[in-house]
Amino acid sequence: MTSQVSSPAEQTDGTDETVVGAQRKPVGTKDVRRLDRVIIRFAGDSGDGMQLTGDRFTSETASFGNDLSTLPNFPAEIRAPAGTLPGVSSFQLHFADHDILTPGDAPNVLVAMNPAALKANVGDLPRGAEIIVNTDEFTRRAMQKVGYDTSPLEDGSLDGYHLHPVPLTTLTVEALKEFDLSRKEAERSKNMFALGLLSWMYHRPTEGTEKFLSTKFAKKPDIAAANIAAYRAGWNFGETTEDFAVSYEVAPAATAFPPGVYRNISGNLALSYGLIAASRQADLPLFLGSYPITPASDILHELSRHKNFGVRTFQAEDEIAGIGAALGAAFGGSLAVTTTSGPGVALKSETIGLAVSLELPLLVVDIQRGGPSTGLPTKTEQADLLQAMYGRNGEAPVPIVAPRTPADCFNAALEAARIALAYRTPVLLLSDGYLANGSEPWRVPETDELPDLAVQFAQGPNHTLDDGTEVFWPYKRDPQTLARPWAVPGTPGLEHRIGGIEKQDGSGNISYDPANHHFMVRTRQAKIDGIDVPELAVDDPGGARTLVLGWGSTYGPITAAVRRLRTAGVPIAQAHLRHLNPFPANLGEVLKRYDKVVVPEMNLGQLATLIRAKYLVDAQSYNQVNGMPFKAEQLAAVLKEAIDD
């Protein structure tokens, strides 16, 4: 879904997470209240279609022109028992008429499809929030399954909220009685009824969803018609029922975006598009060797759709085969990629080391998740940084790049490709589940804005022996980048040795010489240390004595927290790292400017450990490893305490 935005201004007034003011105006028999932002959470069983419901609401919100940020939250089990707390699936959407950065700390509206969804999420709601519950699911058995001795809809425990009891299942079945569907089939459309109701409440466009349903169920026209009917019934219910006396408007965020064509995009989709763009800018075929793993599998799914761009995808039998095939493709002259999550990086470590030794360009994309081991497949974490930095045998340095928002995954993929191709090295790209599944508006770039990644392959001999013979030396280096030549197999005269055993400098012959090994180790490290990365930008309003330093997906919550503090008159500086190896050249100087450095991370302090070791700075670590992103209010309180301490 794309939309055209014409205003060049960008609003950064620091009100990302502040309390919403409201204006009311009468329209017909029902009032319309104007809000500047809303946070909605859809919650139900994993089979209730909450992700689809949230995705459709998000798409219509994007087409309307609001700024937005989303947080899908899946059960960790493939199919947890229905009606249980572990089986609850939710989708949170924060949308506004101004620039926002996070999915929001606390929902203004909760749609709970059953008792489990209510119990799992009600603790996150502020007093006065609206709760829409599907009363049909509040049976004695369903309530007892999650520990409700009495009905929360009747015992007064929800008196602090605006409760809307709606028999969603009954209303959906009644709306679809003209269709030749069983009751069970009709009940499956209750999520569309809920979507229609919420679309009415917040004046969302409807045409896109109806078109989507027609397309999705094109081979089952009766199912398509039933879902559209349920969707319209939900809309009409909101319009006619007395329980919903107010609807809400959130104006488009026209001042939040520079002019351009925009679309809603998730991190994994943006990363996929970035890889395709990189291959086109490098004029190289794109090869993905991958083994499916949550939350990285969507990249494999997406790239498999783009054979028309010269993309080849290989679903391997395991993680090791996936990276082995990718490294072979790199040897053959492709832009080679392998995608995985933390457990897969461990399995790929030997082949990453081989890529370091062979000095071939290879992108290793790690969509981080909770660990250790299998851990929390559907939850987010930033705990693979030290694995990316050191998780190989021997001295095997690898550049590390980390995107900061879902849309930024596009740019991070291009940057990782630039480094890999220019310096002939594997590169680790560290995204995470929060970025991968979350979404936000993305301005589609013009082709002339993309970097030139053109590669020059070796064409002939590059070295003359003492006897005058011209030969090809595979480890003769570029004096600027220390990159070795990239020779495509089959090119006459470029035959050379390859393998994991240490190479002789220049010739690439096998060498056990201690001095040569020392030199090669130092040279490979110097190549990584010499990578040209931009200096670290610091956002300092002046007078700040505390710096908050982050990396990866903490950007949104950190920036929202910093805005809150500055709005309250508290000076604080902020910097965010994209390049984690090598660090920007000015990082040490930046750190020394401030009395205090606070590093929030979704791990137990991995970046803080690196900062302390390299720069001897007493960085204060603030950590969270609960599978969820930071909340802005939480970080603001921590940063204020650090400043006042």
Side-chain angles (χ1 to χ4, degrees):
M1 188 67 66
T2 59
S3 59
Q4 189 77 27
V5 180
S6 58
S7 173
E10 182 174 3
Q11 181 172 334
T12 54
D13 60 3
T15 59
D16 177 35
E17 303 287 351
T18 56
V19 177
V20 178
Q23 296 177 338
R24 180 182 290 185
K25 62 178 182 179
V27 176
T29 59
K30 292 197 175 186
D31 286 349
V32 178
R33 188 173 298 173
R34 179 162 292 173
L35 306 175
D36 58 16
R37 71 178 183 96
V38 175
I39 304 169
I40 298 174
R41 184 181 296 175
F42 299 93
D45 270 331
S46 57
D48 283 338
M50 294 296 93
Q51 302 304 321
L52 175 62
T53 304
D55 183 68
R56 289 314 312 160
F57 196 95
T58 299
S59 294
E60 298 299 353
T61 297
S63 68
F64 188 72
N66 296 118
D67 195 10
L68 62 89
S69 180
T70 68
L71 178 62
N73 190 11
F74 312 94
E77 298 180 36
I78 293 175
R79 188 63 173 172
T84 64
L85 295 176
V88 173
S89 175
S90 67
F91 188 105
Q92 184 164 306
L93 166 67
H94 182 191
F95 62 103
D97 65 2
H98 59 277
D99 173 36
I100 60 173
L101 296 160
T102 75
D105 285 357
N108 308 115
V109 182
L110 171 66
V111 179
M113 303 298 281
N114 59 24
L118 176 65
K119 187 162 190 176
N121 292 281
V122 70
D124 294 336
L125 302 180
R127 289 293 174 176
E130 295 194 71
I131 303 177
I132 301 171
V133 296
N134 179 14
T135 57
D136 289 326
E137 295 297 323
F138 279 72
T139 63
R140 179 179 297 276
R141 181 182 179 186
M143 289 187 289
Q144 289 178 342
K145 189 180 290 188
V146 295
Y148 281 130
D149 296 325
T150 60
S151 172
L153 310 183
E154 300 171 355
D155 63 8
S157 60
L158 301 178
D159 287 349
Y161 308 100
H162 296 296
L163 180 64
H164 301 279
V166 180
L168 287 173
T169 306
T170 299
L171 291 171
T172 302
V173 172
E174 179 66 20
L176 302 184
K177 63 182 180 181
E178 65 183 80
F179 294 89
D180 186 21
L181 300 174
S182 67
R183 180 178 178 85
K184 185 175 182 179
E185 289 173 328
E187 287 178 359
R188 290 175 181 164
S189 297
K190 62 181 181 288
N191 64 323
M192 288 297 105
F193 189 100
L195 178 59
L197 173 57
L198 270 291
S199 297
W200 171 84
M201 284 182 65
Y202 292 97
H203 296 228
R204 300 296 92 185
T206 61
E207 296 82 2
T209 293
E210 293 192 8
K211 182 178 180 181
F212 167 83
L213 292 171
S214 297
T215 302
K216 180 177 178 62
F217 299 107
K219 296 182 179 179
K220 299 179 179 179
D222 290 345
I223 299 298
N227 276 280
I228 292 171
Y231 178 64
R232 291 175 177 173
W235 177 283
N236 293 333
F237 177 78
E239 181 70 29
T240 57
T241 184
E242 295 181 2
D243 191 37
F244 293 92
V246 178
S247 64
Y248 304 91
E249 282 187 351
V250 180
T255 61
F257 306 113
V261 175
Y262 286 78
R263 60 156 295 159
N264 183 51
I265 200 165
S266 68
N268 274 352
L269 183 58
L271 205 155
S272 300
Y273 287 176
L275 294 174
I276 296 171
S279 75
R280 303 295 284 184
Q281 293 303 107
D283 195 23
L284 297 175
L286 178 64
F287 179 91
L288 173 68
S290 181
Y291 179 74
I293 183 172
T294 302
S297 299
D298 286 341
I299 301 172
L300 171 61
H301 301 159
E302 181 60 34
L303 289 180
S304 68
R305 299 186 177 104
H306 296 286
K307 297 180 179 65
N308 55 314
F309 285 114
V311 179
R312 292 186 179 182
T313 53
F314 169 56
Q315 180 173 323
E317 65 269 29
D318 54 42
E319 295 282 4
I320 299 172
I323 190 173
L327 185 57
F331 178 62
S334 293
L335 176 60
V337 184
T338 188
T339 53
T340 189
S341 190
V345 174
L347 293 168
K348 296 177 188 292
S349 62
E350 183 180 7
T351 308
I352 296 173
L354 177 59
V356 171
S357 176
L358 300 183
E359 300 188 45
L360 286 171
L362 174 67
L363 302 187
V364 181
V365 178
D366 176 6
I367 313 297
Q368 300 167 94
R369 72 190 204 188
S373 187
T374 304
L376 303 169
T378 62
K379 310 302 178 184
T380 195
E381 207 163 271
Q382 287 184 296
D384 293 348
L385 176 56
L386 293 183
Q387 179 179 216
M389 184 74 76
Y390 300 120
R392 291 161 296 282
N393 62 298
E395 296 289 343
V398 172
I400 304 171
V401 175
R404 62 185 189 179
T405 69
D408 188 47
C409 290
F410 178 86
N411 298 319
L414 284 165
E415 175 65 359
R418 176 190 73 86
I419 293 172
L421 294 172
Y423 294 89
R424 308 290 196 266
T425 178
V427 177
L428 265 155
L429 193 158
L430 293 183
S431 180
D432 61 40
Y434 172 39
L435 295 183
N437 297 316
S439 61
E440 66 178 350
W442 172 59
R443 186 180 71 83
V444 181
E446 301 293 336
T447 53
D448 59 6
E449 298 175 307
L450 301 177
D452 181 5
L453 302 179
V455 173
Q456 183 64 48
F457 289 112
Q459 299 298 319
N462 60 359
H463 182 75
T464 303
L465 299 177
D466 292 340
D467 62 3
T469 304
E470 291 188 338
V471 296
F472 174 69
W473 271 19
Y475 285 86
K476 190 165 187 174
R477 302 180 182 279
D478 181 287
Q480 298 298 319
T481 65
L482 298 183
R484 77 174 186 89
W486 193 1
V488 176
T491 306
L494 302 189
E495 298 84 357
H496 60 281
R497 291 179 180 272
I498 199 116
I501 296 177
E502 184 61 282
K503 318 292 185 297
Q504 184 181 49
D505 178 42
S507 71
N509 294 331
I510 293 173
S511 173
Y512 294 98
D513 179 65
N516 179 78
H517 177 57
H518 181 87
F519 178 80
M520 293 296 285
V521 167
R522 291 285 189 181
T523 301
R524 288 188 289 261
Q525 183 65 59
K527 180 172 70 170
I528 304 306
D529 292 341
I531 291 174
D532 181 23
V533 303
E535 291 199 340
L536 180 65
V538 182
D539 179 11
D540 189 336
R545 303 310 309 158
T546 299
L547 171 72
V548 54
L549 179 69
W551 69 278
S553 66
T554 58
Y555 173 78
I558 289 175
T559 305
V562 166
R563 287 184 181 182
R564 284 188 175 199
L565 292 175
R566 291 180 183 173
T567 299
V570 179
I572 186 169
Q574 177 188 1
H576 209 78
L577 290 166
R578 174 191 290 281
H579 297 89
L580 297 154
N581 192 33
F583 285 129
N586 67 328
L587 176 56
E589 182 271 326
V590 166
L591 295 172
K592 291 177 182 177
R593 289 186 214 161
Y594 297 93
D595 297 334
K596 298 177 182 176
V597 177
V598 182
V599 185
E601 299 180 79
M602 293 188 294
N603 56 48
L604 293 183
Q606 297 188 15
L607 175 61
T609 297
L610 295 175
I611 293 295
R612 284 169 170 260
K614 185 173 179 64
Y615 299 103
L616 304 181
V617 170
D618 186 21
Q620 300 179 28
S621 190
Y622 179 70
N623 311 114
Q624 171 178 297
V625 281
N626 62 3
M628 298 294 289
F630 285 113
K631 294 182 178 180
E633 181 180 8
Q634 160 195 5
L635 279 181
V638 169
L639 296 176
K640 180 64 164 60
E641 183 179 346
I643 292 170
D644 294 341
D645 187 8

